[in-house]
Amino acid sequence: QVQLVESGGGLVQAGGSLRLSCTASGRANSAYVMGWFRQAPGKEREFVAAISWSSESTYYAASVKGRFTISRDNAENTVYLQMNSLLPEDTAAYYCAAVRGLVVYRTTSGYPYWGQGTQVTVSS
């Protein structure tokens, strides 16, 4: 079992930046793929970014590519999401997710472990 705790959300003006963190505990010393998803009110949870165990491969949703950067520090069991040039449409609850192994998924069904989420609100 893996527990995930997100932090770093908040209120920011459009054009601003935030850095989200997600720290894993439990059986986190195995190889895990990590992902970030978001869910706006009334909408389905959607893929934002994912990163392989080695950090060699990263994947982004088209809507955030070039603005968001996912990274990880395996020694600290932490994954980050640097969000720049934020837009009001980025407003959502952001969730960290994990799956054991080396395959990177871009769908919610691929991840059995989830954090509780952190709210990001971008004002116009």
Side-chain angles (χ1 to χ4, degrees):
Q1 195 74 320
V2 174
Q3 294 79 42
L4 304 172
V5 178
E6 304 98 334
S7 62
L11 173 64
V12 64
Q13 288 190 329
S17 298
L18 281 174
R19 187 195 198 202
L20 305 183
S21 299
C22 171
T23 300
S25 60
R27 301 179 68 177
N29 56 344
S30 302
Y32 282 90
V33 166
M34 304 293 293
W36 285 98
F37 290 76
R38 67 186 182 186
Q39 187 168 18
K43 294 189 176 181
E44 291 189 355
R45 193 169 296 187
E46 64 176 7
F47 171 76
V48 175
I51 187 166
S52 63
W53 170 250
S54 66
S55 299
E56 220 174 287
S57 299
T58 56
Y59 303 86
Y60 298 93
S63 58
V64 307
K65 198 167 187 179
R67 300 188 298 123
F68 291 10
T69 302
I70 188 170
S71 61
R72 67 189 297 165
D73 182 341
N74 289 342
E76 297 294 328
N77 291 323
T78 300
V79 63
Y80 305 97
L81 186 68
Q82 177 67 43
M83 305 186 295
N84 299 329
S85 303
L86 282 161
L87 304 170
E89 47 263 46
D90 294 319
T91 295
Y94 282 70
Y95 297 88
C96 175
V99 57
R100 181 180 292 180
L102 303 177
V103 177
V104 180
Y105 298 93
R106 303 185 213 196
T107 59
T108 56
S109 60
Y111 295 84
Y113 305 111
W114 291 85
Q116 293 301 305
T118 185
Q119 180 67 36
V120 172
T121 303
V122 184
S123 63
S124 57

